[in-house]
């Protein structure tokens, strides 16, 4: 039995068979970089990083591409408000994005393509769509001729006629049909622009993903992913553009994560009900946030609250404590006895159950139940009078492997060098102020993190214990 994926396109769980044996081409729509990300935006980053890690764990070679939308209406608006250039804003929030998701245990994509760096292939893509009769120019804008693409609506399971009912042509749009969407937008006076066969302008949002997915992964990709709100119209439009151009299937498995809600309403920048990742990781271990997100199946909604996050923290700590206890026990342990085979078998069984859970459309909620089960077993084993090194090590390896697949670490948070230096400076100041209580507290805090201080005539030196 292999991996099954729920495919939005067919609304079924399907067996995962990649185009090319052993290889996975995966594209995840990335953020529009005009602000810090909130924990809703962090969900696709965490979920699809975990999907990638699991596919690798199952032996696939994954090529993971995730774009940055670094020019669009929102970026232009923010740049105007702050009196800065669009690329400056984009660079700032790309940097912030990397810092945030890295703290949450997400690895970098194999490539993070940016719109500004791919303008030539985007323009080329649009020009080909015009040549093929799927797009038309209108006063410096270019639109996709939605009705020409007969399968439009197949991802969101709506017919063109149903979609028509709600569609309107907004003021300033120069399209022929309300369902048509912009591939290229003429620049307004003062806006950032690129030269094109249709004059100065910039690409629409949907075209960038079609063009960049094709550049990095080819005409047909295995997995295309993003938040549930992207299924329509963004992904529907991506399919129309790509399949109109190549005549081939664009993506074989479409995955969409559910929302993070607050009081049962989608967390979003526009509603103002968001919690920034930047803020939350100042108060909580970022691993707790990751563990929290993975405790729920990726397609289900999560109703966020600080209280739930705190409960998660103590749950995670229980597992980490079992792990630490195992580590402390190694030295007092001895050789295998007959009774131990039974424990090794149980560890193996949990390993199998973890795989079964993850094979079933990446059910991380069930996979985390396996971690709790493993921790319960470890605690029981540690109550035995005689423990064997082999069994203890088997538990430790199993914890490390499964945590690794979920992008979680078991070791305690390490302080960065500059954070240590800062604390040392604070302690020096405290001693100058004759605040010995504070100075001792800082020394103890560092000791807890395994940092040893040495006061010398030249000043305070430190080393990791
Ligand atoms: N509340 C949420 N829960 C889960 N995923 C979300 C949520 N909000 C946005 N996403 C996802 O985050 C990713 C980044 O999207 P993007 O930067 O375009 O966010 P956004 O749509 O501007 O956010 P907002 O909805 O707050 O305006 C997308 O895959 C999107 O589907
Ligand atoms: Zn996209």
């Amino acid at each position: 039995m292999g991996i099954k994926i729920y495919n939005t396109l067919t609304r079924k769980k399907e067996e995962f068979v990649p185009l090319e044996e052993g290889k996975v081409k995966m594209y995840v729509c990335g953020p529009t970089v005009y602000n810090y990300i909130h924990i809703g935006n962090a969900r696709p980053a965490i979920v699809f990083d975990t999907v990638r890690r699991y596919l690798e764990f199952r032996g696939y070679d994954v090529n993971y591409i995730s774009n940055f939308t670094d020019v669009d209406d929102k970026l232009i608006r923010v740049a105007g408000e702050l009196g800065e250039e669009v690329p400056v804003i984009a660079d700032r929030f790309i940097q912030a994005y990397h810092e945030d998701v890295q703290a949450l245990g997400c690895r970098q994509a194999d490539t993070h393509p940016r719109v500004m760096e791919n303008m030539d292939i985007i323009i080329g893509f649009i020009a080909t769509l015009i040549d093929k009769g799927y797009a038309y120019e209108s006063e410096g804008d270019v639109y996709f001729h939605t009705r020409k693409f007969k399968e439009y609506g197949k991802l969101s399971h709506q017919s063109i006629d149903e979609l028509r009912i709600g569609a309107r042509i907004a003021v300033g749009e120069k399209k022929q049909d309300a369902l048509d969407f912009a591939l290229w937008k003429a620049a307004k006076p003062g806006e950032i622009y690129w030269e094109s066969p249709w004059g100065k302008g910039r690409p629409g949002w949907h075209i960038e993903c079609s063009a960049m997915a094709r550049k990095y992964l080819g005409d047909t990709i295995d997995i295309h992913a993003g938040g549930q709100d992207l299924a329509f119209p963004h992904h529907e439009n991506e399919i129309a553009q790509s399949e109109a151009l190549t005549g081939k299937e664009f993506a074989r498995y479409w995955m969409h994560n559910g929302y993070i809600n607050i009081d049962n309403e989608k967390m979003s920048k526009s509603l103002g009900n968001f919690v920034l990742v930047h803020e939350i990781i100042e108060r909580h271990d970022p691993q707790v946030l990751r563990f929290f997100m993975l405790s729920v199946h990726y397609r289900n909604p999560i109703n966020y609250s600080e209280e739930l996050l705190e409960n998660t923290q103590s749950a995670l700590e229980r597992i980490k404590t079992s792990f630490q206890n195992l580590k402390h026990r190694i030295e007092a342990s001895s050789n295998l006895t007959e009774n131990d085979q039974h424990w090794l078998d149980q560890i193996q069984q949990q390993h199998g159950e973890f795989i079964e859970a993850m094979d079933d459309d990446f059910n991380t909620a069930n996979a985390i139940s396996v971690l709790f089960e493993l921790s319960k077993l470890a605690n029981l084993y540690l109550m035995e009078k005689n423990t064997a090194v082999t069994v203890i090590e088997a538990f430790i390896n199993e914890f490390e492997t499964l945590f690794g697949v979920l992008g979680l670490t078991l070791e305690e948070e390490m302080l960065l060098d500059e954070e240590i230096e800062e604390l040392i400076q604070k302690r020096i100041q405290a001693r100058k102020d004759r605040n010995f209580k504070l100075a001792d507290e800082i020394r103890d805090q560092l000791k807890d993190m395994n940092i040893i201080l040495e006061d010398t005539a030249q000043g305070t030196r430190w080393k990791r214990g």
Side-chain angles (χ1 to χ4, degrees):
M1 279 264 291
I3 298 172
K4 285 213 163 85
I5 299 183
Y6 180 87
N7 189 351
T8 309
L9 194 63
T10 57
R11 289 180 167 165
K12 282 197 195 85
K13 267 189 211 170
E14 295 173 5
E15 194 184 333
F16 177 62
V17 185
L19 267 176
E20 202 181 321
E21 205 185 322
K23 296 208 163 132
V24 182
K25 299 176 189 180
M26 185 164 175
Y27 186 95
V28 182
C29 293
T32 308
V33 283
Y34 69 104
N35 203 336
Y36 293 104
I37 57 164
H38 56 66
I39 58 177
N41 306 135
R43 192 171 190 194
I46 292 174
V47 161
F48 299 115
D49 175 74
T50 307
V51 167
R52 172 200 203 180
R53 284 170 187 270
Y54 186 67
L55 290 166
E56 288 178 353
F57 171 70
R58 296 288 264 131
Y60 291 103
D61 179 2
V62 184
N63 192 358
Y64 188 96
I65 309 292
S66 189
N67 65 305
F68 285 122
T69 301
D70 58 359
V71 55
D72 86 329
D73 292 342
K74 294 177 203 163
L75 269 143
I76 290 173
R77 177 177 53 78
V78 171
E81 284 166 9
L82 299 178
E84 290 180 284
E85 299 296 323
V86 170
V88 175
I89 308 278
D91 284 348
R92 180 181 312 146
F93 290 113
I94 285 174
Q95 175 70 21
Y97 177 84
H98 282 308
E99 283 170 16
D100 285 347
V101 301
Q102 194 194 355
L104 295 171
C106 301
R107 282 159 50 200
Q108 290 233 344
D110 290 295
T111 309
H112 282 285
R114 296 176 56 165
V115 178
M116 287 192 199
E117 291 164 359
N118 285 288
M119 217 41 96
D120 49 341
I121 59 140
I122 294 173
I123 291 171
F125 203 112
I126 299 172
T128 313
L129 284 175
I130 296 178
D131 288 347
K132 293 196 168 208
Y134 279 105
Y136 58 91
E137 198 232 312
S138 177
E139 297 171 45
D141 288 350
V142 180
Y143 294 94
F144 188 86
H145 229 316
T146 303
R147 277 188 178 278
K148 285 249 166 89
F149 183 70
K150 296 294 170 226
E151 292 179 85
Y152 194 79
K154 68 177 173 181
L155 181 68
S156 50
H157 306 273
Q158 310 172 78
S159 72
I160 289 198
D161 292 323
E162 276 165 7
L163 287 166
R164 241 214 109 88
I165 298 169
R168 298 272 178 283
I169 300 183
V171 180
E173 289 183 320
K174 299 148 216 158
K175 51 194 182 185
Q176 297 169 2
D177 185 296
L179 281 181
D180 296 350
F181 55 89
L183 301 175
W184 186 262
K185 299 181 178 182
K188 299 194 186 83
E191 275 182 3
I192 187 168
Y193 66 83
W194 284 263
E195 296 290 349
S196 82
W198 320 286
K200 296 178 166 61
R202 67 193 149 85
W205 172 34
H206 317 296
I207 194 69
E208 65 180 83
C209 290
S210 282
M212 297 195 286
R214 181 163 185 252
K215 171 174 171 185
Y216 290 95
L217 299 171
D219 289 349
T220 303
I221 65 181
D222 292 300
I223 299 176
H224 197 313
Q228 173 187 316
D229 52 337
L230 299 190
F232 185 84
H234 183 56
H235 289 159
E236 198 75 71
N237 292 354
E238 281 189 41
I239 292 178
Q241 296 162 157
S242 295
E243 299 193 357
L245 185 111
T246 65
K248 297 181 200 155
E249 187 178 21
F250 175 42
R252 305 175 68 216
Y253 301 88
W254 286 89
M255 296 180 69
H256 293 102
N257 66 267
Y259 292 144
I260 301 263
N261 296 327
I262 281 200
D263 298 329
N264 297 310
E265 205 165 22
K266 182 196 172 206
M267 182 179 290
S268 85
K269 286 168 211 148
S270 45
L271 287 173
N273 60 350
F274 56 84
V275 182
L276 295 181
V277 170
H278 234 62
E279 291 166 3
I280 202 107
I281 63 182
E282 276 179 17
R283 284 180 281 128
H284 295 276
D285 176 356
Q287 293 273 317
V288 174
L289 185 58
R290 184 172 180 115
F291 192 78
F292 171 73
M293 294 230 191
L294 296 179
S295 310
V296 177
H297 187 268
Y298 74 88
R299 283 190 284 117
N300 291 340
I302 296 182
N303 210 16
Y304 173 81
S305 77
E306 188 97 355
E307 196 188 340
L308 276 177
L309 201 62
E310 272 155 25
N311 295 343
T312 307
Q313 175 154 4
S314 36
L316 180 59
E317 270 163 16
R318 281 206 302 279
I319 302 181
K320 289 195 176 186
T321 306
S322 308
F323 180 77
Q324 292 307 331
N325 289 340
L326 287 162
K327 286 200 127 176
H328 287 139
R329 194 56 158 304
I330 290 191
E331 274 174 33
S333 298
S334 53
N335 294 334
L336 273 184
T337 63
E338 250 171 57
N339 176 40
D340 289 325
Q341 189 54 45
H342 155 76
W343 292 97
L344 292 173
D345 291 345
Q346 297 224 51
I347 296 172
Q348 238 356 79
Q349 190 189 330
Q350 295 307 319
H351 185 84
E353 286 186 14
F354 181 90
I355 291 177
E356 204 177 299
M358 292 297 282
D359 271 1
D360 182 15
D361 193 29
F362 311 97
N363 195 329
T364 52
N366 288 350
I368 282 179
S369 307
V370 172
L371 293 177
F372 284 117
E373 199 52 41
L374 199 64
S375 147
K376 232 159 66 189
L377 279 174
N379 294 345
L380 278 176
Y381 186 64
L382 289 170
M383 275 154 64
E384 299 252 314
K385 218 162 105 224
N386 296 310
T387 49
V389 177
T390 315
V391 178
I392 300 273
E393 281 180 349
F395 269 119
I396 289 176
N397 287 341
E398 196 55 41
F399 271 122
E400 282 176 340
T401 305
L402 303 187
F403 262 66
V405 172
L406 299 180
L408 296 161
T409 51
L410 281 148
E411 300 301 339
E412 288 308 313
E413 270 293 282
M414 292 247 294
L415 279 183
L416 298 173
D417 289 4
E418 57 261 43
E419 293 177 304
I420 297 170
E421 301 285 1
E422 245 176 60
L423 282 169
I424 290 175
Q425 287 314 317
K426 233 169 105 183
R427 177 167 170 266
I428 291 172
Q429 191 56 47
R431 293 173 86 188
K432 273 195 199 139
D433 301 342
R434 308 192 65 76
N435 185 350
F436 297 112
K437 188 165 163 278
L438 177 62
D440 286 346
E441 278 171 11
I442 295 173
R443 173 185 279 272
D444 289 345
Q445 185 189 348
L446 287 165
K447 198 166 147 233
D448 285 345
M449 309 292 275
N450 255 340
I451 309 296
I452 297 156
L453 299 187
E454 206 184 320
D455 293 314
T456 71
Q458 285 78 36
T460 304
R461 276 191 286 189
W462 63 271
K463 61 174 192 234
R464 294 186 192 271

